[in-house]
Amino acid sequence: MNGIEARALEKHFGPVRALQGIDLSIEAGSLVRVAGANGAGKTTLLRILAGLERPTRGTVGLGGRDPFGRKAASVRGRIGFLGPTTALYGELTLRENLRFISSLHGLSEERTPQLLAALSLSEVGDREVRTLSQGFRRRAGLARALLTEPAWLFLDEPWNGLDRAAGEQLTHQLRAGREAGRTTLVASHAEPTGPGGVPWDRVLELESGRLRETHR
Amino acid sequence: MNGPRVALAVLRKDLLVDLRSRDRLGHMLIFAALVVVLISIVLRTSAADARGALLPLLWIAFLFTSLLGLARSFQAETEDGAWTNLILVPVDRGWVFLGKAGANLLALLVVEAWTALLAVIFLDVDWTRAPGAALLAGVLGAIGLSTLGTLLSALSASARFREFLLPILLFPLILPVLVFAADITGEAIAGRALAERSAGALALYDWVFLLIGYLGFDSLVEA
Amino acid sequence: MEEALRYAGVGLVATAALTWLAADEARAIRSARVAGVLALALLALWFGAVIWVAPIERAQGIVQKIFYVHVPCAPVAYLGFVMTAVGGIGFLWRRDAHWDRVAISSAEVGVLFCTLILVTGPIWAKPVWNHWWVWDLRLTSTLVLWFIYAAYLFLRTLSSGTDEARAFASIYGILGTAAIPFVFFAVDLAQGKTLHPSNPAREGLPASMLVPLLLGFVAFACVFWYLFARRLEVAKLEARQS
Amino acid sequence: MSYLVAAYTITAAALLGYAFWLRRKRRELLDRSNRSGGGPA
């Protein structure tokens, strides 16, 4: 059961209460949208669930394991995260970046070319990431997050900066991920438009650090 | 064991970024030359002085030069938001620290060799009297500096005054390395036997701080 | 060397006692009153002993009595530094901000006493050896430690209130304490090469000098305990405020 | 003699000064928390 649980999650930045007690349980393989205005705490929630930032209080469970616990290494390897930046090294080419991530996770050689093709990034593969356009850079960031075939995928405003074609590919990837049993959490303040829309299993409404679930 | 694989991947990546951007190492080499020349001119050295007061000054020159490189250890991660790559690794993050420290070590060794060469040219220092001891001091000194420098630059990478912070944090802690290394090289140049006490203390120092770095880094990245 | 071992032994006991006290924050804070009363009583005894019991030293004269305020500052300063590492390890291990408050409190009080060592030292050296600074082993090492823990306090001022800042400070506190033996050894090695008047050996002290000194150690320990408990309370109140 | 007096007065001043600073900070924080409804330590 590698769903996502959180119990009484709180996160304080000094006097600022970014999260004020979040409890949630998400079944494995579901595609969940985290909605909410700017400053509602979407990014903080995602970063904590993805094991990037410790909560001030409360616990996180990915497949029942705490990403901040002693034996969290095995869990961490199967987490994918895409934030506002691509998290890639500007001086290196896209292929070099992905090869670096692959060697961190011991992935096989074909994974990189396969993913570049899937996201139609092959032709820019050998250009330094800092020379790529905003749209290509966003797609490159998505490629990095998907590279390790994560069991839990966290995307923070992934549609920002994507053109229509790239948006469609993202929606396609989300659908494919859902079939493959991946648990995905996507934070986006606006409902992403585009043909067919996104088959959300659930939508969580976040408002100033608290959860208000809207519909199933 | 995939820990060392991760460390190696981080090391290779850092060296590739260094080669590709070429400025970090270049700056350090120019800066080192500048400092050595400055010392030589301002202190109106003669060959005789070189062995006496000047040699420890070389270590101070090397320390200041290393600051340039160490301060930028995590620049890419901080600016490009690439910390995620180093946090979400399927191993203990201490290996990431060792990879980073390794990349810094190689850069420091290059700068160290360069400084030694400058010493030969400008200060007539004769390293051949005890090359083994000089090498030992160089390697152990560079390890101590890269270990502490990497850990402290991770600490100060996101802080506001990080240009000030790194030297303030580093200098008092690195003092023993300078003393031990300067002692070993001093004895080596003077042709006397190896300063075992300093060599032993320096090796122990490196080991202790490598261990603290390895253990501490894990709870540092996802604070 | 043997003196260093005795020093370390006493230090270990004191650290263990303070760690036990600090483990329960509420109790530690409440203990401030007791510590205060004890400190005042012992300070009175100590000061009386310095005036009436301690002799006028033949060689240096009355100014030698600075010895009874200068030397007792050292153990409590080092106790503060070691407790900073204990607080740091506690925080990193348990992620409980309480241990971090222990670290900041002990560091601050430790630096206060360390500063006093570095002030009273030169005040004593000037009339006796006619220069302000003496590159003696203890004084020089204490100076280096002062820089380490001043850097620790500087690091804390940059970004407080977040767990990240606490973890950073914890690690630096641990590094600082791990460096203490190396600093002493390095300074001994570096200074050993130049001759300096060493501190008067403490063992051969007559009773009339030993009594005020030991009273000084105990009195200053209680002062440390009192200030530490009060500072811990302030840290707790600040935490509850934000 | 003046050195002796200086050493002791500086030490006393530093310790007392710090103790009173703490006392004032404590009272300040307690008042603020009482006003905003928090209980005393």
Side-chain angles (χ1 to χ4, degrees):
Chain A
M1 164 40 196
N2 52 12
I4 301 175
E5 299 92 35
R7 246 171 297 297
L9 270 190
E10 279 178 47
K11 181 67 179 180
H12 307 157
F13 295 108
V16 174
R17 296 277 184 284
L19 295 180
Q20 310 184 36
I22 303 272
D23 286 284
L24 59 84
S25 174
I26 297 168
E27 299 86 23
S30 48
L31 180 56
V32 177
R33 177 180 160 222
V34 180
N38 292 341
K42 300 194 299 296
T43 299
T44 309
L45 176 63
L46 248 62
R47 282 183 62 84
I48 291 176
L49 294 177
L52 293 175
E53 241 177 271
R54 280 174 182 267
T56 307
R57 253 187 292 284
T59 57
V60 176
L62 300 180
R65 300 274 288 268
D66 176 355
F68 303 108
R70 289 278 160 267
K71 299 186 297 309
S74 54
V75 169
R76 276 199 302 266
R78 294 159 59 229
I79 298 173
F81 180 85
L82 175 61
T85 70
T86 63
L88 295 171
Y89 299 93
E91 283 88 6
L92 304 183
T93 68
L94 181 51
R95 272 206 180 77
E96 282 166 344
N97 267 290
L98 295 181
R99 209 172 295 130
F100 166 56
I101 308 285
S102 302
S103 54
L104 284 181
H105 293 269
L107 305 176
S108 66
E109 279 310 313
E110 313 86 30
R111 182 66 189 133
T112 299
Q114 192 189 19
L115 193 61
L116 287 176
L119 288 167
S120 57
L121 285 166
S122 306
E123 76 276 12
V124 292
D126 291 323
R127 280 176 44 197
E128 289 182 8
V129 169
R130 62 182 166 76
T131 64
L132 297 179
S133 72
Q134 163 74 355
F136 272 129
R137 258 215 299 277
R138 287 300 300 166
R139 247 194 270 179
L142 182 63
R144 186 194 56 73
L146 295 171
L147 183 67
T148 54
E149 292 173 312
W152 304 281
L153 181 62
F154 302 90
L155 303 173
D156 190 358
E157 304 288 357
W159 278 282
N160 280 4
L162 290 188
D163 56 25
R164 216 174 50 73
E168 271 159 33
Q169 259 168 5
L170 172 58
T171 310
H172 169 67
Q173 286 295 335
L174 292 179
R175 227 186 244 111
R178 192 155 157 269
E179 266 85 43
R182 175 180 307 139
T183 312
T184 309
L185 233 68
V186 180
S188 82
H189 60 285
E191 169 66 32
T193 58
V198 178
W200 304 110
D201 291 311
R202 279 169 70 180
V203 176
L204 303 176
E205 194 74 36
L206 205 56
E207 208 183 297
S208 53
R210 284 202 179 71
L211 210 53
R212 211 165 35 71
E213 185 154 338
T214 48
H215 50 76
R216 205 202 61 73
Chain B
M1 241 307 267
N2 37 33
R5 183 200 66 224
V6 165
L8 212 59
V10 169
L11 188 139
R12 256 206 324 274
K13 184 270 295 180
D14 265 20
L15 292 185
L16 196 52
V17 168
D18 266 354
L19 288 177
R20 194 62 58 76
S21 58
R22 261 186 323 284
D23 50 8
R24 182 165 92 138
L25 200 55
H27 288 166
M28 289 166 85
L29 296 181
I30 295 168
F31 185 86
L34 195 57
V35 173
V36 171
V37 166
L38 203 82
I39 289 174
S40 313
I41 296 173
V42 169
L43 295 180
R44 277 191 290 283
T45 63
S46 69
D49 302 337
R51 269 173 294 289
L54 260 299
L55 209 54
L57 274 179
L58 284 183
W59 279 103
I60 305 291
F62 172 59
L63 173 66
F64 278 94
T65 309
S66 67
L67 267 182
L68 296 180
L70 293 169
R72 299 173 47 167
S73 311
F74 292 90
Q75 186 184 4
E77 277 74 20
T78 313
E79 272 160 20
D80 300 346
W83 269 105
T84 316
N85 306 322
L86 303 185
I87 296 173
L88 299 180
V89 284
V91 294
D92 188 310
R93 268 73 60 99
W95 291 104
V96 171
F97 166 75
L98 293 179
K100 276 281 178 184
N104 280 337
L105 176 62
L106 293 180
L108 291 187
L109 287 176
V110 167
V111 173
E112 210 169 44
W114 168 250
T115 309
L117 179 64
L118 294 173
V120 170
I121 297 168
F122 293 116
L123 302 168
D124 300 318
V125 170
D126 174 9
W127 296 109
T128 56
R129 295 181 71 131
L135 202 62
L136 182 71
V139 171
L140 290 181
I143 291 174
L145 196 49
S146 66
T147 302
L148 256 173
T150 305
L151 186 59
L152 293 178
S153 81
L155 228 77
S156 48
S158 53
R160 278 202 307 278
F161 314 108
R162 48 172 183 271
E163 299 74 24
F164 299 100
L165 191 57
L166 184 60
I168 289 175
L169 296 178
L170 177 67
F171 282 12
L173 288 180
I174 206 69
L175 174 122
V177 171
L178 294 178
V179 168
F180 300 145
D183 186 38
I184 300 172
T185 42
E187 300 293 292
I189 292 302
R192 288 192 287 276
L194 171 68
E196 277 97 7
R197 274 162 35 120
S198 288
L202 187 48
L204 180 64
Y205 183 99
D206 288 350
W207 190 79
V208 164
F209 285 95
L210 260 173
L211 190 65
I212 295 177
Y214 179 86
L215 296 174
F217 195 77
D218 201 84
S219 51
L220 192 121
V221 282
E222 63 188 27
Chain C
M1 195 47 202
E2 169 269 330
E3 189 215 339
L5 285 177
R6 191 149 39 76
Y7 207 92
V10 170
L12 218 58
V13 169
T15 306
L18 208 58
T19 307
W20 169 78
L21 177 83
D24 175 341
E25 194 166 39
R27 179 183 58 195
I29 291 175
R30 276 200 310 280
S31 72
R33 215 171 299 287
V34 174
V37 169
L38 262 175
L40 286 177
L42 284 165
L43 281 175
L45 267 175
W46 161 69
F47 195 64
V50 169
I51 292 179
W52 290 297
V53 174
I56 308 288
E57 209 255 4
R58 275 181 317 289
Q60 299 179 16
I62 187 110
V63 80
Q64 183 272 342
K65 289 200 174 187
I66 296 180
F67 169 78
Y68 301 106
V69 73
H70 172 68
V71 175
C73 285
V76 275
Y78 292 110
L79 181 62
F81 298 157
V82 174
M83 282 306 296
T84 307
V86 167
I89 293 170
F91 176 76
L92 291 179
W93 187 260
R94 284 237 162 43
R95 286 283 157 172
D96 176 353
H98 147 244
W99 281 109
D100 180 61
R101 290 192 286 271
V102 167
I104 178 70
S105 306
S106 49
E108 212 166 274
V109 181
V111 167
L112 173 68
F113 278 104
C114 193
T115 308
L116 287 176
I117 300 172
L118 299 175
V119 168
T120 52
I123 292 180
W124 184 11
K126 182 61 179 167
V128 174
W129 291 300
N130 196 20
H131 32 245
W132 287 110
W133 186 255
V134 170
W135 290 102
D136 130 275
L137 169 63
R138 275 188 199 76
L139 210 54
T140 311
S141 307
T142 305
L143 178 62
V144 176
L145 292 183
W146 187 89
F147 280 110
I148 294 176
Y149 286 90
Y152 173 87
L153 293 178
F154 176 62
L155 178 63
R156 290 199 79 99
T157 59
L158 287 186
S159 60
S160 56
T162 64
D163 275 355
E164 185 184 47
R166 293 189 189 101
F168 288 174
S170 299
I171 290 194
Y172 193 72
I174 294 165
L175 288 172
T177 304
I180 291 179
F182 291 103
V183 166
F184 266 85
F185 186 67
V187 169
D188 189 24
L189 200 101
Q191 297 311 335
K193 296 223 169 11
T194 52
L195 260 111
H196 280 281
S198 71
N199 238 336
R202 224 168 289 138
E203 288 63 34
L205 287 182
S208 61
M209 295 176 95
L210 209 54
V211 165
L213 182 64
L214 293 180
L215 273 175
F217 284 133
V218 184
F220 277 36
C222 291
V223 172
F224 178 95
W225 172 13
Y226 171 76
L227 293 176
F228 169 78
R230 279 283 184 243
R231 181 61 182 83
L232 195 60
E233 185 180 12
V234 165
K236 180 89 175 95
L237 290 172
E238 274 166 354
R240 204 142 53 72
Q241 210 78 78
S242 70
Chain D
M1 184 58 178
S2 58
Y3 286 100
L4 179 67
V5 170
Y8 277 77
T9 42
I10 287 173
T11 304
L15 295 180
L16 282 173
Y18 186 66
F20 280 108
W21 178 74
L22 287 176
R23 186 184 296 272
R24 196 166 51 79
K25 205 88 164 56
R26 179 172 170 269
R27 182 144 310 113
E28 217 177 80
L29 289 162
L30 279 175
D31 297 346
R32 209 181 304 159
S33 71
N34 290 348
R35 259 200 313 283
S36 63

